[in-house]
């Protein structure tokens, strides 16, 4: 018979849920991880650009850039075997409509100590002169979500964390004993002293069904196109910024390149609010935007017109509404959210896991200190 | 100059050759002047209507003072006013008449500068043309139109620091000298006006009085015209100063005198004239004052020398000589910092002197000739100002304190209210401490103790400010975002103990377009490690930064030397700086001069995984200056995650 009582239950088997479960296991005897899908890391943790951010994306948000820069080496150290670092990542600053100029880009990152170098002449030639102000070589890698899945599964098994796949949590309810009860979609229930809602785009769904206050979030149905780049682009990653532009870079989980565009990657967007249930449009019903992405991108990098389309991945991208991330960190950490010992956790980027772990460590140290 | 103007007893007649001004010229001048006035005033109205002013400068410096006056406080006694205690009083009637809110202050600010600019010019022109109405119109039209091309925009608009108002009284003073009134009246009135010049513009007034002192002696020695009047006016000014100040401050003149004569001059160079402001670091750096300034100064020096060397019996020459002396002395401000507008008061006096000569020598051809550039360029500046503000003319929306707020101000207020709670009606219960008080305090109707701007806590007041902050333990604190302006870094450099206290007890609750709003935490943010000493030297490095950025409080014990240390004014010329490499903060620290050992505390934002290198050096025009670092102690402090935005220095 399956166990029903745990020290901690983590809901959501994405990168965050798995990593947090591993952290919790260091402090608690029994940890359960629930994942609705058939496998771990199949949702946002897979359907994304796979960029290990080093700050370059955020020339106008100092803290986000700084946090990425601080977290980057740690991520590389911890997950080096799940990374593709074999390509050259270039950031180009668009000449028009960009919210940053080349000088500002250079200044911000040089001051932070984040490596920015001028691009090779041969690479610069790939870009349309009039449309791009300057191009910089940066240090940024791509992560392999399948590799991460393998790694995390192995580590959780080794740490004796119980993982239930294909098992969704429907509702959290308090028990008179002070524990939290989780009703599962297979009709069963489990109990825990503490519950961690790490369901990313599903956070509010679980809160709503539990009758708890919702958090201010916006969702987008996002499309990541998978492509075979033209030979000129092989071995390079390209991001044109800072505004409604695009990027294409290796996508190790499928041994292809991803292609995304600020304007065309999001298809529809919606917000969770109390009056109407949030509904994500079904990805199957959505037509690809890739032709639009490509047409625009080829204006900036003409050789991209020879890109071969292989298909698209769709999933929901969730962003915190502005006032939730006031200090610039795209993370959400709610302790005792509506219920004692219910934690809600979300990170806007893979590397923000360290910001979350930092907070959890602080809480843990304080709790241990209080016990002593 | 070819006219021989028979000076009457105690009076001056400038235009001796009767001239008839042609109608077309007069009408063109009047029309152009009217157009200039419409453009300038409309543009000021638009600016006041939709508020988009800076949170750290001009607007609130005035609003805060006017609100204090309105609450019955006295400038100079209850609160300092940086530019002279009379300045808020000049704005006060307009403020009250228009409704005593932000709109009232802004419109008065936008309009009083051009009113006084044109007003003083008209009085001067009227006297200089011996009351010739037509010539006065042409004089003022040319003066107004030439102002923008000559780079005098900072005078007919409020600019950042009300420079136009501060340099107005000297114009009235010279107008008094040019009148035909008797010597006694001129001495009495001139003296009072000179004293008022100091009260309505500390630096500019001081230079006028200094020019009278120098001029008085020089004219007496060389037996030139107006010598007695100038010397008399100087003495009257000295005598009138304290009684007038007493009247304004409620008989408590000491704080105002102390602020203007001790605290302000003491901090003028190392504090205000320090990076990121450009200051005269070497002779070549002077070129940064700009071509217009250099041209105006060069012409003025040439004319001044000619007048100095060639004795003349003409009183108007003496007046021009004094005008240029005043203007050139005002340019000594360049020794403090190289602001593009510092030459403007000299430019104004040179312009008035030139027009006085041109109009008195006038014949239509000559006037038309010099009016061509004015006609061509004179309206472009005000027109382009208005064009930039065109949307403000028709903007609609809800009013806050009488103004429509620009989007970033709306966001600023909303975020503050989200964090602090509704502002309106909170009065002095407002639990917010701002290093730059402004709109939130105005909406709350709070009149809080202490300086409204941290930068105005000069000399020993700086320590008192920090003490007050420590004791008040406000629930929320507002500091300027380092990405908004690098003057925030400058403020951190000069008042680090305040920020150290802040980091010990506060975390960032919200970030507005302009500021960081900090909330007091029950537990102090990140720990401060124990102090340790490191090897001092001209160049010294701190232990490398860790994985996270953090702050290191550095205390240096140092000694400065300067070859000119006994020469007043010039002794402050060298700047003693600590430059950074490998740190997140980029603005060098300026150390106050300390001939016998000083101590100074500042903060370094350590960049992750980098060794910060600090270098002490002296810069400036004075030769033989040096700074020696005798001892260095450091005390690192972690930054809590909720304090990270503090590290955004260098990202502006
Ligand atoms: C289009 C796009 C591009 C992105 N690009 C990047 C990038 O380049 N670099 C980067 O660092 N970040 C990127 N991100 C963000 C990044 O993908 C996310 O921050 C990260 O994957 C979040 O991980 P997670 O574990 O919280 O979410 P997920 O991986 O979505 O995990 C949540 C899991 O919870 C499960 N779940 C949901 N509800 C329940 C329930 N009731 N019971 C049980 N299980 C449940 C889901 O099935 C899912 O597996 C991107 C995101 C998107 C969408």
């Amino acid at each position: 018979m399956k166990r029903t009582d745990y020290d901690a239950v983590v809901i959501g088997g994405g990168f965050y849920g798995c990593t947090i479960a591993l952290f919790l296991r260091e402090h608690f005897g029994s940890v359960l991880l629930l994942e609705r899908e058939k496998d771990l890391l199949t949702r946002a943790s897979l359907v994304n650009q796979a960029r290990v951010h080093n700050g370059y994306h955020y020339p106008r948000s100092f803290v986000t850039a700084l946090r990425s820069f601080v977290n980057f080496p740690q991520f590389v150290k911890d997950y080096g075997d799940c990374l593709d670092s074999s390509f050259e990542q270039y950031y180009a600053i668009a000449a028009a409509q960009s919210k940053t100029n080349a000088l500002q880009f250079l200044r911000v990152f040089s001051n932070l100590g984040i490596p920015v170098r001028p691009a090779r002449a041969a690479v610069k030639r790939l870009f349309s002169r009039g449309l791009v102000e300057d191009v910089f070589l940066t240090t940024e890698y791509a992560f392999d979500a399948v590799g991460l899945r393998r790694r995390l599964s192995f580590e959780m098994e080794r740490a004796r964390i119980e993982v239930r796949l294909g098992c969704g949590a429907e509702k959290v309810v308090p028990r008179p004993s002070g524990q939290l009860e989780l009703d599962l979609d297979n009709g069963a229930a489990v109990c825990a002293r503490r519950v961690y809602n790490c369901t990313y785009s599903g956070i509010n769904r679980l809160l709503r069904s539990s009758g708890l206050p919702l958090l201010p979030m916006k969702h987008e149905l996002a499309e990541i196109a998978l492509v075979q780049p033209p030979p000129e682009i092989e071995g390079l990653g390209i991001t044109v910024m800072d505004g409604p532009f695009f990027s294409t870079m290796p996508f190790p989980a499928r041994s292809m390149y991803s292609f995304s565009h600020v304007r065309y990657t999001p298809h529809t967007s919606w917000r969770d609010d109390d009056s109407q249930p949030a509904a994500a449009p079904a990805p199957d019903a959505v037509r690809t935007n890739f032709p639009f992405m490509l047409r625009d991108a080829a204006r900036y990098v003409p050789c991209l017109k020879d890109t071969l389309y292989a298909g698209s991945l769709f999933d929901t991208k969730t962003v915190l509404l502005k006032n939730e991330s006031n200090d610039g960190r795209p993370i959400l950490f709610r302790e005792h959210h509506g219920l004692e010992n219910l934690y809600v956790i979300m990170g806007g980027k893979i590397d923000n896991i360290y910001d979350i772990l930092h907070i959890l460590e602080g809480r843990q140290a304080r709790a241990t200190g209080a016990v002593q | 100059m070819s006219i021989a103007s028979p000076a009457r007893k105690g009076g001056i007649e400038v235009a001796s050759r009767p001239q008839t001004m042609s109608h077309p010229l007069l009408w063109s001048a009047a029309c152009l002047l009217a157009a200039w006035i419409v453009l300038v005033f409309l543009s000021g109205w638009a600016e006041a209507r939709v508020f988009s002013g800076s949170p750290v400068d001009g607007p609130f410096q005035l609003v805060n003072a006017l609100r204090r006056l309105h609450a019955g406080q006295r400038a100079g006694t209850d609160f300092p006013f940086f530019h002279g205690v009379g300045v808020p009083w000049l704005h006060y009637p307009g403020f009250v008449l228009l409704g005593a809110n932000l709109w009232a202050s802004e419109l008065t600010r936008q309009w009083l500068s051009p009113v006084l600019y044109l007003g003083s010019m008209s009085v001067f022109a009227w006297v200089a043309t011996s009351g010739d109405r037509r010539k006065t119109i042409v004089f003022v039209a040319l003066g107004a139109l030439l102002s923008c091309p000559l780079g005098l925009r900072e005078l007919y608009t409020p600019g950042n620091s009300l420079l136009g108002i501060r340099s107005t009284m000297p114009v009235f003073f010279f107008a008094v000298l040019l009148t035909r009134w008797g010597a006694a009246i001129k001495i009495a009135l001139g003296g009072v006006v000179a004293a008022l010049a100091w009260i309505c513009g500390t630096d500019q007034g001081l230079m006028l009085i200094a020019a009278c002192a120098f001029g008085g002696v020089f004219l007496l020695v060389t037996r030139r015209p107006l010598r007695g009047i100038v010397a008399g006016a100087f003495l009257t000014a000295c005598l009138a100063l304290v009684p007038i100040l007493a009247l304004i401050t409620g008989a408590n003149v000491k704080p105002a005198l102390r602020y203007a004569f001790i605290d302000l001059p003491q901090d003028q160079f190392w504090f205000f004239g320090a990076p990121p402001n450009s200051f005269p670091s070497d002779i070549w750096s002077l070129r940064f004052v700009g071509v217009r300034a250099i041209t105006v100064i060069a012409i003025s020096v040439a004319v001044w020398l000619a007048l100095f060397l060639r004795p003349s019996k003409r009183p108007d020459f003496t007046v021009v000589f004094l005008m240029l002396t005043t203007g050139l002395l005002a340019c000594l401000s360049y020794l403090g910092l190289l602001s593009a507008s510092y030459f403007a008061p000299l430019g104004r006096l040179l312009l008035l002197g030139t027009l006085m000569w041109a109009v008195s020598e006038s014949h239509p051809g000559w006037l038309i000739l010099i009016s061509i550039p004015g006609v061509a360029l004179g309206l472009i500046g005000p027109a382009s100002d208005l064009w930039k503000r065109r949307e403000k003319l028709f903007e609609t929306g809800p009013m806050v304190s009488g103004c429509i707020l620009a989007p970033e101000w709306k966001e600023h207020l909303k975020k503050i209210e989200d964090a602090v709670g509704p502002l309106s009606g909170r009065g002095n219960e407002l639990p917010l401490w701002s290093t730059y008080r402004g709109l939130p305090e105005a909406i709350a109707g709070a009149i809080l103790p202490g300086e409204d701007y941290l930068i105005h806590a000069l000399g020993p007041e700086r320590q008192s400010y920090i003490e007050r902050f420590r004791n008040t333990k406000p629930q929320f604190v507002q500091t300027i975002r380092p990405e908004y302006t690098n003057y925030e870094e400058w403020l951190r450099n000069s008042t680090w103990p305040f920020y150290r206290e802040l980091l010990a007890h506060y975390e960032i609750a919200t970030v507005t377009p302009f500021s960081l709003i900090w909330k007091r935490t029950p537990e102090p943010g990140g720990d401060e490690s124990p102090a340790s000493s490191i090897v001092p030297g001209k160049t010294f490095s701190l232990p490398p930064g860790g994985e996270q950025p953090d702050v290191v409080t550095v205390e240096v014990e140092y000694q400065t030397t300067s070859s000119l240390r006994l020469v007043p004014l010039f002794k402050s010329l060298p700047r003693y700086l600590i430059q950074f490499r490998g740190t997140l903060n980029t603005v060098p620290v300026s150390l106050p001069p300390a001939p016998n050992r000083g101590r100074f505390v500042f903060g370094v934002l350590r960049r992750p995984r980098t060794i910060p290198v600090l270098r002490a050096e002296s810069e400036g025009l004075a030769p033989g200056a040096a700074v020696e670092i005798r001892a260095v102690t450091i005390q690192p402090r972690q930054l809590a995650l909720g304090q990270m935005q503090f590290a955004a220095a260098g990202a502006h």
Side-chain angles (χ1 to χ4, degrees), chain B residues 1-4 14-22 25-26 125 128-130 132-139 142 314 316 353-371:
Chain B
M1 290 186 202
S2 57
I3 49 172
V14 178
S16 61
R17 199 198 303 164
Q19 299 286 333
T20 48
M21 196 76 70
S22 74
L25 176 67
L26 193 64
T129 59
S130 305
D132 182 322
R133 221 177 328 135
R134 293 169 174 206
K135 282 184 179 174
T136 300
I137 290 173
V138 174
F139 186 120
L142 281 173
R314 289 185 50 175
D316 56 330
T354 311
L355 288 173
M356 174 165 79
W357 169 67
V359 174
S360 65
E361 300 280 305
S362 74
H363 53 82
W366 164 227
L367 271 182
I368 287 164
L369 204 69
I370 61 163
S371 45

Side-chain angles (χ1 to χ4, degrees), chain A residues 168-219:
Chain A
E170 288 294 313
K171 195 172 168 186
V172 196
V173 278
R175 278 212 167 165
S177 62
Q179 285 194 317
L180 295 170
E181 181 183 298
L182 276 171
D183 296 345
L184 307 182
D185 59 4
N186 57 12
V190 289
C191 270
R193 281 170 196 279
R194 39 193 84 71
V195 170
Y196 297 81
N197 179 352
C198 305
T199 55
Y200 190 66
S201 57
I203 285 175
N204 273 337
R205 215 187 125 213
L206 190 66
L207 294 177
R208 180 184 285 112
S209 62
S210 310
L212 299 173
L214 301 191
L215 291 166
M217 292 175 166
K218 194 181 121 190
H219 308 280

Side-chain angles (χ1 to χ4, degrees), chain A residues 10-18 33-53 57-58 75 143 164 167-171 184-185 197-203 205-206 220-224 249 260 265 313 315-318 330 345-352:
Chain A
V10 177
I11 314 170
F15 180 72
Y16 274 75
C18 297
L33 181 109
L34 299 172
E35 167 54 50
R36 171 177 279 143
E37 302 292 335
K38 299 269 171 327
D39 207 345
L40 300 172
L41 277 78
T42 56
R43 298 290 307 271
S45 299
L46 171 73
V47 186
N48 60 51
Q49 263 193 302
R51 186 192 302 267
V52 185
H53 285 278
H57 237 66
Y58 310 99
F75 194 91
F143 60 83
R164 293 194 199 173
C167 180
E170 288 294 313
K171 195 172 168 186
L184 307 182
D185 59 4
N197 179 352
C198 305
T199 55
Y200 190 66
S201 57
I203 285 175
R205 215 187 125 213
L206 190 66
E220 288 168 356
L221 178 67
E223 175 183 4
I224 299 285
M249 59 183 279
S260 64
T265 285
L313 299 172
D315 210 329
T316 305
K317 178 168 189 167
T318 297
I345 293 174
M346 197 196 108
K349 300 185 279 101
I350 286 282
D351 60 275
N352 290 120

